[in-house]
Amino acid sequence: MGMLYIVPTPVGNMEDMTFRAIRVLNEADLILAEDTRTSSVLMKHYDIKTHLVSHHKFNEHQTSSGIVDKLKSGMTIALISDAGTPGISDPGFFLVREAVEAGIEVQCLPGATAFVPAIVSSGLPDDRFCFEGFLPQKKGRMSKLEALADEHRTMIFYESPYRLVKALQQMGEVFGIDRRVSVCREISKVHEESVRGTIEEVIAHFTATEPKGEIVIVVAGKPDEK
């Protein structure tokens, strides 16, 4: 049996690549990449010559069985996404499940994941939290938020900069405009920024200043009743 490695890649700063991740990618027989064009930049930066094959949410159900066959034959395969840890709001879960069910060893390397620095730097409680990923783009956004109305843990969301203000407005409707929030964007990049305050204050900021880049929203949970 071969080995499937899940390899995190930097969410921004190239220096966030670990020594182990570089070694595994160099030693693998094959690298599965969400977008080979994006990943080729990283490969070139670290002089990694391993062959890249496209593996993304639109083809993973069709290609995973063939990949499992390669793993059964003894190949070492690494899975990467465009940024961060595969499987966290990125392709990865389906292949990992298929590999585990086939008795193949799966190892996930520690590494970059955008929501961890976002919640740690938010100033909001990080001892207990729930990660909700992306809200539905159209239908179901409000019902998703309403289901979290009584959530006491800190909540983490990913969002597009184009939908950020709308998402904050909807959160204000459900959680109240006085709920504390931290919006972290462009994590580890040159223009990294965290905007903290009430939902109302943060809406005002991003209404006046157009948001850009990758966005993580960290929202305080419902206060405990005294």
Side-chain angles (χ1 to χ4, degrees):
M1 288 286 194
M3 173 86 79
L4 175 63
Y5 285 101
I6 310 303
V7 182
T9 54
V11 297
N13 193 317
M14 287 283 195
E15 293 179 1
D16 292 335
M17 195 74 169
T18 69
F19 291 122
R20 185 183 176 204
I22 295 168
R23 177 181 61 78
V24 167
L25 293 179
N26 269 310
E27 294 177 355
D29 297 305
L30 188 67
I31 297 173
L32 307 175
E34 185 179 1
D35 187 326
T36 56
R37 294 166 299 178
T38 300
S39 296
S40 64
V41 176
L42 182 71
M43 300 301 108
K44 183 177 180 181
H45 182 84
Y46 284 104
D47 196 29
I48 296 168
K49 301 290 200 303
T50 308
H51 182 57
L52 290 173
V53 173
S54 180
H55 182 82
H56 46 73
K57 65 181 180 180
F58 300 110
N59 72 359
E60 61 180 344
H61 287 76
Q62 290 76 39
T63 60
S64 289
S65 61
I67 294 166
V68 169
D69 288 341
K70 288 182 171 64
L71 290 162
K72 286 180 176 178
S73 74
M75 291 182 69
T76 296
I77 298 178
L79 173 67
I80 61 176
S81 60
D82 289 348
T85 300
I88 305 297
S89 291
D90 275 327
F93 163 72
F94 184 78
L95 177 60
V96 169
R97 185 183 67 183
E98 296 298 296
V100 168
E101 290 181 353
I104 293 159
E105 186 173 354
V106 178
Q107 288 190 9
C108 180
L109 277 60
T113 302
F115 74 78
V116 174
I119 187 172
V120 172
S121 65
S122 69
L124 298 172
D126 56 10
D127 55 332
R128 296 176 67 244
F129 60 87
C130 60
F131 174 70
E132 295 296 329
F134 286 95
L135 290 169
Q137 289 189 22
K138 296 178 181 178
K139 187 177 180 180
R141 287 173 67 90
M142 287 300 289
S143 59
K144 177 84 169 181
L145 292 172
E146 287 165 357
L148 295 166
D150 292 323
E151 176 60 67
H152 290 273
R153 295 171 296 177
T154 301
M155 297 167 282
I156 305 170
F157 304 87
Y158 287 165
E159 191 52 277
S160 159
Y162 308 108
R163 292 187 294 273
L164 173 61
V165 172
K166 177 182 178 181
L168 290 170
Q169 290 169 340
Q170 292 173 322
M171 289 175 185
E173 290 179 38
V174 176
F175 305 138
I177 58 174
D178 292 330
R179 185 74 65 90
R180 303 295 297 181
V181 65
S182 174
V183 173
C184 192
R185 65 179 194 87
E186 294 291 82
I187 292 171
S188 83
K189 299 179 183 177
V190 175
H191 300 293
E192 179 174 348
E193 176 188 41
S194 289
V195 179
R196 307 173 182 90
T198 65
I199 290 178
E200 183 177 35
E201 290 168 342
V202 176
I203 288 173
H205 173 84
F206 285 111
T207 299
T209 306
E210 182 183 1
K212 295 180 180 179
E214 303 294 325
I215 302 286
V216 184
I217 306 172
V218 184
V219 186
K222 183 179 180 180
D224 292 326
E225 294 181 3
K226 296 181 180 179

